[in-house]
Amino acid sequence: MPLAAQGISPEHVFEELTSAAAEDADWRAGRTWSLVYNAGEDVLAVARRAYDAFFSANALNPMAFPSLRRFETEILETAARLLHGGPDAAGNLTTGGTESILMALKTARDWARATRPQVGAPEVVLPVSAHPAFDKAAHYLGLRLVYVPVAADFRVDLNAVEAALSERTILVVGSAPSFPAGVIDDIPALARLAAARGILCHVDACVGGWFLPFLERIGEPVAPWDFRVEGVTSISADLHKYGYCARGASAIVYRERALRKFQFHVQTDWPGGLYGSPSMCGSRPGGPIAAAWAVLRYLGQDGYERLTRTTMDATRRLLDGVRALGLDVLGAPAMSVFAFSARDLDIYALCDAMDARGWKIDRQQLPPSAHLMVSPGHAPFVAPFLDELGASTRELRGGGPTPPGSAAMYGALAATPDRRQVGEFLLGFMDSLDRT
Ligand SMILES: Cc1ncc(COP(=O)(O)O)c(C=O)c1O
């Protein structure tokens, strides 16, 4: 698109925006099972209004926008309380889970440089189920990752963790819950291993951080995962997932304020002035911060508990329905995120069949499975989803025609032993996206 010589009217701009979105994921109709966490039009309206009011505000300079400083401080206080951090807990808002994880790893690296300089090439031990944000962060920061497998229950294999620990290990990672199977790693065991060696333990609660506390409050069993577990030193918890806030908001929280200093960056000799930055971004948009504060105030504890009940009720109906169709749920999902596989049909073909019916389901590998992240907005659509999943399953089992789709490609990629080749394929795909 060359920049037009002359601008057009706002009406015309909005017409174009609306028509551009015609093919986008229809999340309002519950048709997509990731990416958007829909808690209803009322929550959206609050977030949008707050976002708009602080659209131009910039948290880069906390002195220029005391409002944003206050919002960030209060959101972090709320987060620290929910995560059962003590009075010394401290953290920051970031733009999302990936940035929170990047900050946790940067903190660990710089903490290790300062306190154990004898560790030349620091290592992080983590399960293969940990989110790719860790891989990305380690790549950016020059850290070595030591991956360990998960056990039959899809939680990290503790024997493998023990075997992977060395004098170079600075950080151990667990998820609450993991993305692929939605299970909570044995955080007490991981934290114990870390504490015994005097190293750090990060819990990735990007998914569970704003859900599990309310699940516990409504009386459901939740395995220990937060700062009540001795040895957990940092937690990432995304507001823009189950906090139902506007995208671009996550919290990184440390058990001890002193640890957070390793996250900060300062530059003292810049002609432009003294420069301090808490996290990855320079300019920090005010919209997501104000929207997060507004949504927390609007929903309150009872609002989150209500939404948690709705989501868990929808999740249970889905789990029962999926199992009733003879499909296998992976492990024992801790909350509203789960995956299922099939012994007697190609799960990727089932996803294609559902695509053809307008349902977008994420495909996973190792093992091949379909992945659902349930939000409150899915509740009215559980029955039609299960009806169509049943119809698709019966068609495939009856030897019906395999719908056109990506099943063959996913199957081949999942089974390719040379993962570098798969990486090259992915790079080529990404590179092709802007070629219309
Ligand atoms: C467990 C887990 N951690 C981290 C992330 C990364 O979050 P974001 O996409 O906000 O960067 C995700 C995203 O789904 C996740 O599921």
Side-chain angles (χ1 to χ4, degrees), residues 37 95-99 101 131 133-134 175 177-179 204 206-207 238 240-241 373:
Y37 300 75
T95 54
T98 299
E99 191 188 351
I101 288 167
H131 191 271
F134 289 96
S175 307
S178 67
F179 179 95
D204 177 12
C206 284
V207 167
D238 290 358
H240 68 194
K241 291 190 172 72
M373 296 183 104

Side-chain angles (χ1 to χ4, degrees), residues 6-62:
Q6 288 186 325
I8 56 174
S9 68
E11 292 71 33
H12 198 158
V13 172
F14 283 102
E15 263 167 42
E16 291 187 2
L17 286 173
T18 306
S19 79
E23 308 271 302
D24 286 0
D26 191 3
W27 51 269
R28 274 199 169 84
R31 296 255 148 189
T32 180
W33 294 92
S34 62
L35 301 171
V36 177
Y37 300 75
N38 180 13
E41 294 302 322
D42 57 330
V43 182
L44 267 178
V46 169
R48 198 181 287 131
R49 210 168 136 193
Y51 198 109
D52 199 42
F54 287 82
F55 182 84
S56 299
N58 188 345
L60 170 60
N61 183 344

